[in-house]
Amino acid sequence: MHLNHIFLLIDWALFIEKLVLIIVVVMGSLLVAMYSTYAERKVAAFMQDRVGPNRAGPFGILQPVADGVKLFFKEEIVPNFSSKFLFILGPCLAMLTAMMIGAVIPWGDKIHLFGRDISLQIADVNIGILYVFGIVSLGVYGIMIGGWASNNKFSLLGAMRAASQIVSYELAMGISLIALLMITGTLSLNEMVVQQKDHWWNIFKQPLGFLIFLICAFAETNRTPFDLPEAENELIGGYHAEYSSMKLGFYLFSEYINMFLSGAVMATLYFGGYDIPFVNDANLVHNIGVNWLAILEGTVFFIKICCFIFLFMWVRWTVPRFRYDQLMNLGWKILLPLALFNMLVTGALILLKQNHWHF
Amino acid sequence: MGITQILFWFLTILALVAAIGVISSKNPIYSVLWLIVVFFAISGHYILMNAQFLAIVNIIVYAGAIMVLFLFVIMLMNLNAEAEPVKNVYMKMAGIISGLTLMIVLVAALSHSDVQNTIIRPGTSIGLIKNLGKALFNQYVVPFEISSVLFLSAMIGAIMLGKKDPVKKISL
């Protein structure tokens, strides 16, 4: 009787709509991550004047599938003397935290299907950007637990490096975000995009903040030049040294998903999200309808993200890895004061603007 | 029982089970992980009370930063069951008695407390960031600023304590 009552209270159309959206976003991020591995190898080949993978399928586009199948068929090894539960929990957590960021990103405005307006954002929570920040700070657990459970000194060292690196760079990242929030006055990612649609993109208002955020994003996703947790010539692979088979695949995959979603976050915060540049959206809706506009917006957003993914790869094959003390100096002595300075200047300018540019 | 109540009981049981896990696991690493589960359950309770900002800050600060440092230190210390000092029976008995006494005091204090003013009713929106910010910076601005000074001095103090004796400069 009671149970019946609950099931009647649930809005089933909303439930199904969100479920479909979640499946699409998760599958989409997995697909993008898969082809990011291919793109990475092609970009590396291009930078080093090689051909890159070209055996599996035309232009080697089946290479990620072949890699995935290979990883699945490898032998699974769980080292003795390690805690088996935590050893498996590590890659699961890394994957989970990587996926969770996709929930608050607005992938487009809305589509109109079956007489309903369907928002292309899974959850428009009013603390959107703080949610992203919270999930990013949890991302370190996958690496730390995996590194410790491997019962290997090098893995542990990699995990320690990851933890200290992520905690250090979170500070500068958070403060550069505060400056942005002072301008936008909202935490909701969707509202930020709507604001940028009508006015300038935030990159023009916060160039220094974006630069700090970008550097911190490199550090948080463990990409070169900040890939010290997995520095192979010092730590034989770091935190995933003991992993094999798909558990290793999960760690590698989560890095690419992180890259994709941090690109999405940066595009949303600073580059107008799904906003189509130089186009008045209101006119376009009249001409092509809501659904086509949503598809167009999604495509533009995806192109912006792809630019960021390319930037990540470009930097990887051009900038060498930092030394550990250089990493810490950059984080604490350069980025953090710079972010504080940026916040102060932003606050002063906002105050001046409120006073109509009089002191 | 509505969906809110089901979630409430689920989160409550989760929090209690995890809290028992914190004190009953032999390995300190597991204790830390259980404690993280407790923080998540409490954040869930905050969300049920419509205090989203508090919920996410609880996750960022406690689960995301403080527990990472806890885990960091415990992993480096490499504690295990063999290194655990054996406590004698009298100590255990004293611990049980003092714990029970504390429980009696707490129960006695809570049974006489006025419940009506302390419960945040669901539906109020003081936990949303806008209202919270306005309350903090208008009504409670002095305690807020004083506590920030306290935090600053605590941070500086930690750095001063963490530094070793300053190396005396050799004049050339």
Side-chain angles (χ1 to χ4, degrees):
Chain A
M1 188 63 200
H2 275 305
L3 222 58
N4 237 339
H5 188 60
I6 294 163
F7 280 115
L8 286 178
L9 278 177
I10 296 174
D11 183 358
W12 282 105
L14 184 80
F15 184 74
I16 291 166
E17 152 195 326
K18 292 293 180 198
L19 197 67
V20 170
L21 205 59
I22 290 170
I23 291 170
V24 168
V25 168
V26 167
M27 287 298 153
S29 351
L30 282 176
L31 197 73
V32 171
M34 228 169 101
Y35 274 90
S36 297
T37 62
Y38 170 75
E40 174 118 83
R41 295 166 79 171
K42 276 289 185 192
V43 170
F46 173 69
M47 301 266 170
Q48 297 165 351
D49 209 7
R50 293 186 282 116
V51 180
N54 67 345
R55 293 288 112 183
F59 305 108
I61 52 168
L62 293 179
Q63 187 67 40
V65 182
D67 282 341
V69 170
K70 183 197 80 175
L71 278 174
F72 269 114
F73 282 105
K74 287 245 172 164
E75 189 188 353
E76 239 182 275
I77 302 165
V78 178
N80 271 346
F81 305 114
S82 74
S83 149
K84 197 174 179 210
F85 174 69
L86 291 185
F87 190 73
I88 296 169
L89 186 71
C92 295
L93 274 180
M95 202 66 172
L96 179 78
T97 48
M99 288 287 198
M100 275 167 81
I101 296 175
V104 289
I105 290 172
W107 302 98
D109 195 8
K110 56 175 182 271
I111 51 174
H112 194 79
L113 275 185
F114 311 117
R116 292 170 59 88
D117 275 337
I118 300 172
S119 159
L120 287 180
Q121 185 182 20
I122 295 173
D124 186 11
V125 283
N126 67 5
I127 44 161
I129 188 60
L130 284 181
Y131 170 86
V132 172
F133 199 64
I135 300 300
V136 165
S137 64
L138 294 177
V140 67
Y141 282 118
I143 294 175
M144 279 189 89
I145 290 171
W148 182 78
S150 302
N151 202 20
N152 174 329
K153 279 175 191 147
F154 293 107
S155 300
L156 185 65
L157 275 177
M160 293 296 122
R161 281 182 175 192
S164 46
Q165 173 180 328
I166 290 180
V167 168
S168 312
Y169 277 75
E170 243 168 37
L171 282 169
M173 190 184 218
I175 291 172
S176 71
L177 265 180
I178 288 175
L180 180 72
L181 296 182
M182 279 155 72
I183 288 180
T184 57
T186 175
L187 290 169
S188 154
L189 289 173
N190 198 33
E191 262 178 58
M192 283 187 193
V193 174
V194 171
Q195 281 178 7
Q196 292 178 71
K197 255 180 168 177
D198 302 330
H199 302 284
W200 290 90
W201 284 356
N202 285 335
I203 174 76
F204 300 110
K205 300 174 186 166
Q206 279 289 320
L208 184 60
F210 169 68
L211 194 67
I212 297 166
F213 194 90
L214 182 73
I215 295 171
C216 293
F218 273 87
E220 302 279 324
T221 49
N222 289 331
R223 291 286 298 185
T224 328
F226 304 108
D227 63 341
L228 287 119
E230 43 189 313
E232 64 274 5
N233 43 8
E234 298 161 23
L235 298 178
I236 28 168
Y239 59 90
H240 55 58
E242 295 284 351
Y243 281 88
S244 65
S245 181
M246 206 52 205
K247 292 207 284 292
L248 172 69
F250 263 33
Y251 271 127
L252 302 182
F253 237 62
S254 69
E255 183 184 319
Y256 285 98
I257 293 174
N258 271 329
M259 217 162 84
F260 170 61
L261 288 174
S262 63
V265 169
M266 280 188 284
T268 308
L269 291 180
Y270 292 97
F271 285 87
Y274 54 76
D275 174 36
I276 309 168
F278 313 116
V279 170
N280 187 344
D281 289 29
N283 288 341
L284 211 60
V285 174
H286 270 295
N287 294 335
I288 58 172
V290 185
N291 290 353
W292 282 108
L293 181 72
I295 291 170
L296 209 60
E297 284 172 342
T299 317
V300 169
F301 189 42
F302 191 70
I303 291 169
K304 288 177 186 172
I305 298 171
C306 287
C307 292
F308 274 110
I309 294 180
F310 176 70
L311 182 71
F312 273 106
M313 290 168 182
W314 188 8
V315 169
R316 173 165 181 180
W317 298 108
T318 36
V319 183
R321 182 182 299 134
F322 278 109
R323 232 175 35 227
Y324 195 71
D325 58 324
Q326 291 170 333
L327 173 95
M328 284 296 150
N329 277 343
L330 180 70
W332 288 99
K333 293 186 182 164
I334 299 174
L335 287 183
L336 188 62
L338 211 59
L340 283 170
F341 170 74
N342 185 39
M343 189 174 84
L344 271 178
V345 170
T346 311
L349 286 179
I350 288 173
L351 210 61
L352 266 182
K353 200 184 170 191
Q354 278 176 359
N355 278 343
H356 305 289
W357 307 105
H358 289 293
F359 283 101
Chain B
M1 218 158 66
I3 201 105
T4 319
Q5 260 176 314
I6 293 174
L7 282 175
F8 172 79
W9 284 110
F10 171 73
L11 289 170
T12 309
I13 292 167
L14 182 71
L16 287 177
V17 168
I20 291 168
V22 175
I23 48 174
S24 63
S25 29
K26 294 266 181 198
N27 192 331
I29 299 273
Y30 282 99
S31 291
V32 170
L33 295 178
W34 277 119
L35 195 53
I36 295 165
V37 177
V38 175
F39 285 135
F40 270 90
I42 291 173
S43 280
H45 278 298
Y46 285 143
I47 289 175
L48 283 187
M49 288 188 279
N50 208 11
Q52 301 176 354
F53 179 68
L54 214 53
I56 201 71
V57 165
N58 188 38
I59 286 181
I60 292 174
V61 173
Y62 284 95
I66 293 181
M67 292 327 282
V68 170
L69 293 179
F70 266 57
L71 208 58
F72 193 97
V73 170
I74 289 173
M75 280 178 180
L76 277 181
M77 291 209 298
N78 202 16
L79 297 172
N80 44 30
E82 292 92 62
E84 187 91 344
V86 183
K87 299 177 186 79
N88 65 31
V89 186
Y90 297 108
M91 289 292 278
K92 280 181 187 167
M93 289 302 285
I96 289 170
I97 290 168
S98 53
L100 286 176
T101 319
L102 181 67
M103 197 182 84
I104 290 168
V105 170
L106 281 179
V107 167
L110 285 177
S111 65
H112 288 291
S113 64
D114 189 10
V115 199
Q116 306 223 312
N117 295 328
T118 49
I119 289 182
I120 298 174
R121 279 167 222 84
T124 54
S125 51
I126 182 67
L128 297 183
I129 185 165
K130 195 172 179 181
N131 306 328
L132 197 67
K134 278 187 176 152
L136 274 182
F137 280 98
N138 290 323
Q139 204 175 346
Y140 300 105
V141 66
V142 177
F144 183 71
E145 293 294 335
I146 289 176
S147 65
S148 72
V149 172
L150 197 65
F151 271 116
L152 188 67
S153 57
M155 273 196 288
I156 294 171
I159 291 171
M160 289 309 289
L161 287 178
K163 264 188 167 177
K164 285 177 188 148
D165 297 326
V167 183
K168 278 167 192 150
K169 277 178 191 161
I170 305 159
S171 54
L172 292 168

